[in-house]
Amino acid sequence: MQEPLALRAMGSFHVGGKLVEISGRQVKEVVFTPGGTPAKFDPNGTYQTGQMYVQYFLPQKERGKVPLLLWHGGGMTGVNFETTPDGREGWLEFFLRKGWSVYNSDAVERGRSSWAMYPDVIPGEPLFLTTANPFERFRIGEPAGGFNPDPAKRKYLPGSQFPAEGYDNFVKQIVPRWTSTDQMIIDAYIAEVDKVCPCVIAFHSQAGQFGFKVAQARPDKVKALVAVEPAGIGDQAKADVLKDIPVLMLFGDYIEQDSRWPTIRKTATDFGDRIKAAGGSVDVVNLPSVGIKGNSHMMMMDKNNLEVAQLIDDWLARKGLAK
Amino acid sequence: MQEPLALRAMGSFHVGGKLVEISGRQVKEVVFTPGGTPAKFDPNGTYQTGQMYVQYFLPQKERGKVPLLLWHGGGMTGVNFETTPDGREGWLEFFLRKGWSVYNSDAVERGRSSWAMYPDVIPGEPLFLTTANPFERFRIGEPAGGFNPDPAKRKYLPGSQFPAEGYDNFVKQIVPRWTSTDQMIIDAYIAEVDKVCPCVIAFHSQAGQFGFKVAQARPDKVKALVAVEPAGIGDQAKADVLKDIPVLMLFGDYIEQDSRWPTIRKTATDFGDRIKAAGGSVDVVNLPSVGIKGNSHMMMMDKNNLEVAQLIDDWLARKGLAK
């Protein structure tokens, strides 16, 4: 049984976005609820688009010198950082208990950030992930045919720390995503940074490019970057803009044997090398090399998720960001 | 400055839903991140659909004898009950501070519950609300032409308690919705009740039918129902099933002058009369009649939102549900 969690404040808000006009559509009559009263429904008009939802929890005893922003990856929402799919403490609560003010958000077009008409506002079509897709793509199970609808027949990577009993819950966190919304997402993250920071940003996977690019746009506001298996990078020509921001890059296990992850990691570490060449500080930690083994791409929900979080907390403290 | 909020626990989970097979689609190659490594993307397979996201906060000092479930209305998410759009305390924090364990959710197909392919899985098309729509339909401003893109030119109903400075933030909470998903939503709410209850359920607007129907499906699990401007009702032939569950119905201001709300309210109170005829207990409170004036349909975010919440808390205590 843990100590009670004492919060100075909690709440939520939306940031960013813009208004878009839709015209020339037919007025409809819609019954919103079966047996309800029909209402005129005019689809023409002004729509709010591109906004982002942010939920925050501020600890009574603050230890972090600045807030910690958590940015999830593609096809996901901030739920990634909450309770793990098998019901354990997630990174959000861990960092909160360590004294960090935590801001957890849903990227634009996902979760409580809402999504806009497509292709009118969001170009292209959304992608939906099958239940099998993350099992193979996120280094949870065998990359070809490891997934089976029957949980007992799934082939996990040997020594995997992913909580097998939570996989079917994990896929309930998946949300549709587009591949055309990067700029909308970056704009909203910048709006969050302008509202909340100075801060530390921990970002995962697809948010690799968002974390680095937003820090390049607001270098004075970002005191450290924690890139958790970044699947994208910042503007290479402006790597020097990040030279005063300490960067930690984390990678899990099973990368060498994967068809895609060696390239993804090399792209990220090459970008790190550019930051270092410009005088910056980049620490790359391949978790197996420091004795933390079996991590999937979803290390914030792996069975050893708090061991990884502790490594991040220690690094932030070493960088002088904890009181 | 308020007291710190002491939580015994907080977290989230998903409940309900089912797996759906999609077949016969073409395999694509997708670059998920600009400059990233192309990945094979096979849309055929099994999809998780119909799940629901629930976030919970459990107070250290519990006063409610059972948890309180908050169910939002159409085109919305659980964000409705968090910080108000003008930055004040919402109902979630109010009830938590009053000692209730609070479970706040996003209905199926909205927010962090995700949404599924349509029309394959969800029949029909989603509806998107313009920024003007709730202004007129939710009794915030003048029903015809009260909205103006320029906040200074908006015509609010006289004496409106809706926080005018928060309207443009409020519309950022809007999410697309379908009108074909009622049964999916009910199934997921039943899954929540089966996991969390016995409980009290406070439900708003579209969730009128969900609150009453789910209570009819699980009458032994529901200890009280708080129907906040319900825009739908339960199965009329089974009104007697609710006879042992105390019901509070709340309605705000400006109803008589509206084109739709007198009918919506009469449908609800007629259903209440059926419950009473079967021996049940139904309290209908038209807020203006008890001196609480100016409330819109979104009374959980009106300027007097905590006065309305206090009325609910008092009623629950009178029904013996608080320690």
Side-chain angles (χ1 to χ4, degrees):
Chain A
M1 201 62 180
Q2 283 192 297
E3 287 283 300
L5 192 54
L7 302 181
R8 187 173 88 243
M10 58 178 267
S12 68
F13 54 83
H14 283 81
V15 287
K18 64 175 184 175
L19 300 173
V20 172
E21 294 290 329
I22 298 286
S23 59
R25 300 276 181 95
Q26 203 170 1
V27 176
K28 294 187 270 197
E29 232 184 34
V30 174
V31 177
F32 284 92
T33 308
T37 310
K40 189 186 74 158
F41 190 81
D42 183 350
N44 301 296
T46 307
Y47 291 87
Q48 174 66 49
T49 70
Q51 70 273 25
M52 184 174 76
Y53 170 77
V54 183
Q55 189 175 40
Y56 61 90
F57 300 94
L58 313 183
Q60 179 67 11
K61 287 186 192 160
E62 201 148 18
R63 181 176 143 265
K65 287 188 182 170
V66 291
L68 170 65
L69 278 48
L70 298 175
W71 295 359
H72 63 79
M76 298 286 152
T77 70
V79 177
N80 278 185
F81 296 111
E82 299 180 340
T83 315
T84 66
D86 60 326
R88 289 170 296 109
E89 182 178 316
W91 281 11
L92 191 162
E93 187 172 343
F94 174 89
F95 285 108
L96 192 51
R97 286 186 178 278
K98 288 283 177 184
W100 295 91
S101 288
V102 183
Y103 289 72
N104 191 26
S105 48
D106 296 345
V108 170
E109 49 121 307
R110 297 170 216 178
R112 289 174 162 179
S113 295
S114 191
W115 51 283
M117 286 182 205
Y118 65 92
D120 313 69
V121 179
I122 306 181
E125 297 215 325
L127 294 177
F128 295 77
L129 296 186
T130 63
T131 55
N133 181 296
F135 192 80
E136 304 177 358
R137 202 159 54 88
F138 292 173
R139 308 190 327 276
I140 294 170
E142 297 288 345
F147 183 77
N148 191 296
D150 178 355
K153 293 183 181 164
R154 289 175 194 162
K155 293 176 201 152
Y156 284 82
L157 289 172
S160 171
Q161 291 278 2
F162 191 89
E165 64 276 32
Y167 187 81
D168 290 337
N169 277 324
F170 164 54
V171 299
K172 294 185 180 185
Q173 296 188 18
I174 295 172
V175 293
R177 60 165 290 197
W178 283 259
T179 55
S180 57
T181 50
D182 291 349
Q183 194 55 53
M184 291 170 73
I185 292 171
I186 288 170
D187 290 345
Y189 278 136
I190 289 175
E192 183 192 10
V193 165
D194 284 342
K195 183 180 171 82
V196 171
C197 301
C199 60
V200 169
I201 309 173
F203 50 95
H204 180 234
S205 194
Q206 182 200 19
Q209 61 149 327
F210 306 142
F212 288 120
K213 286 182 181 171
V214 169
Q216 287 175 319
R218 295 290 187 273
D220 52 322
K221 295 269 181 82
V222 180
K223 301 308 171 192
L225 290 170
V226 179
V228 181
E229 295 209 349
I233 58 173
D235 182 343
Q236 300 202 51
K238 295 179 184 166
D240 64 299
V241 172
L242 301 175
K243 71 180 168 49
D244 296 326
I245 304 173
V247 176
L248 172 64
M249 286 191 193
L250 292 179
F251 295 94
D253 211 335
Y254 316 110
I255 287 190
E256 288 74 10
Q257 68 197 66
D258 194 86
S259 64
R260 298 164 54 247
W261 281 100
T263 307
I264 296 171
R265 181 172 61 182
K266 184 167 189 309
T267 302
T269 55
D270 283 354
F271 184 63
D273 288 343
R274 279 182 182 250
I275 299 171
K276 283 197 278 190
S281 156
V282 179
D283 295 320
V284 177
V285 177
N286 289 291
L287 293 174
S289 73
V290 296
I292 302 178
K293 297 188 179 175
N295 282 104
S296 74
H297 183 48
M298 303 308 291
M299 59 180 75
M300 75 291 286
M301 52 186 72
D302 282 341
K303 281 180 279 187
N304 61 351
N305 65 331
L306 301 188
E307 192 179 356
V308 179
Q310 185 63 59
L311 185 153
I312 295 171
D313 185 65
D314 289 343
W315 182 85
L316 290 170
R318 278 204 306 278
K319 294 296 164 186
L321 291 159
K323 290 172 192 166
Chain B
M1 202 62 182
Q2 283 192 299
E3 288 282 300
L5 193 53
L7 302 181
R8 188 174 86 244
M10 58 177 268
S12 68
F13 53 83
H14 282 82
V15 288
K18 64 175 184 177
L19 300 174
V20 172
E21 292 291 329
I22 298 286
S23 59
R25 301 274 182 97
Q26 204 169 0
V27 175
K28 294 186 271 198
E29 227 181 42
V30 174
V31 176
F32 285 92
T33 306
T37 310
K40 190 187 74 157
F41 189 80
D42 184 351
N44 301 296
T46 307
Y47 291 87
Q48 175 65 49
T49 70
Q51 71 274 25
M52 185 173 75
Y53 170 77
V54 183
Q55 190 175 39
Y56 61 90
F57 300 94
L58 313 183
Q60 178 67 10
K61 287 185 192 160
E62 199 146 20
R63 178 175 145 264
K65 287 187 181 170
V66 292
L68 170 65
L69 278 49
L70 299 176
W71 294 359
H72 64 79
M76 298 288 151
T77 70
V79 178
N80 277 186
F81 297 111
E82 299 179 339
T83 315
T84 66
D86 59 327
R88 289 171 296 109
E89 182 179 315
W91 281 12
L92 191 163
E93 187 172 343
F94 174 88
F95 285 108
L96 191 53
R97 287 185 177 279
K98 287 282 177 183
W100 295 91
S101 288
V102 182
Y103 289 73
N104 191 28
S105 49
D106 297 345
V108 170
E109 49 120 306
R110 297 170 217 179
R112 289 174 163 179
S113 295
S114 192
W115 52 282
M117 285 182 205
Y118 65 92
D120 313 68
V121 180
I122 307 181
E125 297 215 325
L127 294 177
F128 295 77
L129 296 186
T130 63
T131 54
N133 181 298
F135 193 79
E136 304 179 358
R137 201 159 54 89
F138 292 173
R139 307 190 327 276
I140 293 169
E142 298 289 345
F147 183 78
N148 192 296
D150 178 355
K153 292 182 180 164
R154 288 173 196 163
K155 293 177 199 152
Y156 284 81
L157 289 171
S160 171
Q161 291 278 1
F162 191 89
E165 64 277 31
Y167 187 81
D168 290 336
N169 277 325
F170 164 55
V171 300
K172 294 185 180 183
Q173 296 188 18
I174 295 172
V175 294
R177 60 166 290 197
W178 282 259
T179 56
S180 58
T181 49
D182 291 350
Q183 194 56 51
M184 290 170 75
I185 292 171
I186 288 170
D187 290 345
Y189 278 137
I190 288 175
E192 183 192 9
V193 165
D194 284 343
K195 183 180 172 81
V196 172
C197 301
C199 62
V200 169
I201 309 174
F203 50 95
H204 181 235
S205 194
Q206 183 199 18
Q209 63 149 325
F210 306 142
F212 288 121
K213 286 181 180 171
V214 170
Q216 286 174 322
R218 295 291 187 274
D220 53 321
K221 295 269 182 80
V222 180
K223 301 308 172 193
L225 290 171
V226 179
V228 181
E229 295 209 349
I233 58 173
D235 182 344
Q236 299 203 51
K238 295 180 184 164
D240 65 300
V241 172
L242 301 175
K243 71 179 168 48
D244 297 324
I245 304 173
V247 177
L248 172 64
M249 286 191 195
L250 292 180
F251 295 94
D253 210 337
Y254 316 109
I255 288 190
E256 288 74 10
Q257 68 199 64
D258 194 87
S259 64
R260 298 163 55 246
W261 281 100
T263 307
I264 296 171
R265 181 172 62 182
K266 185 168 188 307
T267 301
T269 56
D270 283 355
F271 184 63
D273 288 343
R274 279 181 181 249
I275 299 170
K276 284 197 277 190
S281 156
V282 179
D283 296 321
V284 178
V285 176
N286 289 292
L287 294 174
S289 74
V290 297
I292 302 178
K293 297 187 178 174
N295 282 103
S296 75
H297 184 49
M298 303 308 290
M299 59 181 74
M300 75 290 287
M301 54 186 71
D302 283 339
K303 282 180 280 188
N304 60 353
N305 66 331
L306 301 188
E307 191 179 357
V308 179
Q310 185 63 61
L311 184 152
I312 294 172
D313 185 66
D314 289 343
W315 181 86
L316 290 170
R318 279 202 306 279
K319 295 296 164 187
L321 291 160
K323 289 173 194 165

